[in-house]
Amino acid sequence: DTVYPVPIQSRIVKTNEAAASKALQLVKTKVTLRYRLDPKYVTMFLVELNDDAEERVIKPSILESIKAVTARYTAEDLIAKRAEVRDGIEVAITEKLRPSHIIADQTSITNFTFSQTYNQAIEAKVTAEQQAYAAKNTLETVKFEADQKVATAEGEARALAAQRNQITPELLQLRTIEML
């Protein structure tokens, strides 16, 4: 006897869930989901979900999907393979929402946040790599300079050897006369 309007246009829900990576590193993942109700099942939606799909079905599905997919990747891979992770979360959400006749249109990962300890470890690693690179460059510079000194010494030695070969008793007598 009563009409309940149920919007079927796209809606957005945002979640922020902490989960463990494959290496058991804590990562908080912010996900935004754009979804809509299947218009053919609006009555069932009202009866079964009492127009509270977000709290009862959608958010739990997102959170479970985040945890399941995040656990497959290391913390580094979560960043490096972000699109792949997003696709995995989207597929998992779609599968979980299908029985409730909720259509997941688009899933986006809006942020990954790692623990402060992990961030400090990454920063230390990057600093160490930069220092190693600088040390390598310094070593190469030292080697180059040493090679230059060796080449200079060899050139001077050749010049002296050439001069020794050209010294004759007559030349020595001429040089002595010139000095006098």
Side-chain angles (χ1 to χ4, degrees):
D1 294 353
T2 306
V3 174
Y4 293 99
V6 178
I8 57 170
Q9 71 268 24
S10 291
R11 298 181 196 180
I12 292 178
V13 63
K14 296 179 181 185
T15 62
N16 187 10
E17 180 64 12
S21 69
K22 186 176 185 177
L24 302 179
Q25 173 62 43
L26 184 65
V27 58
K28 288 185 180 178
T29 307
K30 287 185 181 179
V31 171
T32 301
L33 172 69
R34 191 178 79 218
Y35 73 94
R36 59 190 164 85
L37 306 177
D38 188 337
K40 294 182 240 171
Y41 296 94
V42 172
T43 304
M44 191 263 341
F45 183 76
L46 274 174
V47 172
E48 290 183 14
L49 298 176
N50 198 22
D51 201 24
D52 191 23
E54 278 190 21
E55 293 302 319
R56 293 176 68 193
V57 176
I58 296 171
K59 285 184 180 178
S61 296
I62 294 171
L63 301 180
E64 187 178 335
S65 298
I66 289 171
K67 288 181 179 189
V69 174
T70 302
R72 294 185 218 151
Y73 295 90
T74 64
E76 280 184 353
D77 284 345
L78 287 172
I79 295 168
K81 299 178 180 178
R82 186 182 188 111
E84 184 179 316
V85 173
R86 182 207 58 233
D87 292 346
I89 291 172
E90 188 170 65
V91 166
I93 291 171
T94 301
E95 297 288 322
K96 291 183 184 317
L97 295 180
R98 185 173 290 127
S100 298
H101 306 288
I102 299 169
I103 302 165
D105 287 328
Q106 182 180 14
T107 305
S108 301
I109 296 174
T110 54
N111 196 21
F112 284 122
T113 307
F114 301 98
S115 69
Q116 185 177 1
T117 306
Y118 182 75
N119 287 336
Q120 289 170 345
I122 293 296
E123 190 172 324
K125 177 183 174 187
V126 169
T127 301
E129 287 174 352
Q130 289 172 344
Q131 289 171 344
Y133 183 72
K136 180 181 175 187
N137 284 343
T138 302
L139 179 62
E140 287 179 16
T141 301
V142 169
K143 283 181 180 179
F144 180 75
E145 289 172 356
D147 289 345
Q148 281 183 325
K149 287 178 182 178
V150 167
T152 302
E154 287 175 353
E156 289 174 1
R158 283 191 208 110
L160 287 174
Q163 284 180 357
R164 274 191 224 119
N165 290 337
Q166 292 177 358
I167 296 178
T168 62
E170 292 83 20
L171 182 60
L172 287 176
Q173 191 177 23
L174 177 64
R175 295 281 186 228
T176 304
I177 294 170
E178 287 175 350
M179 287 178 26
L180 294 173

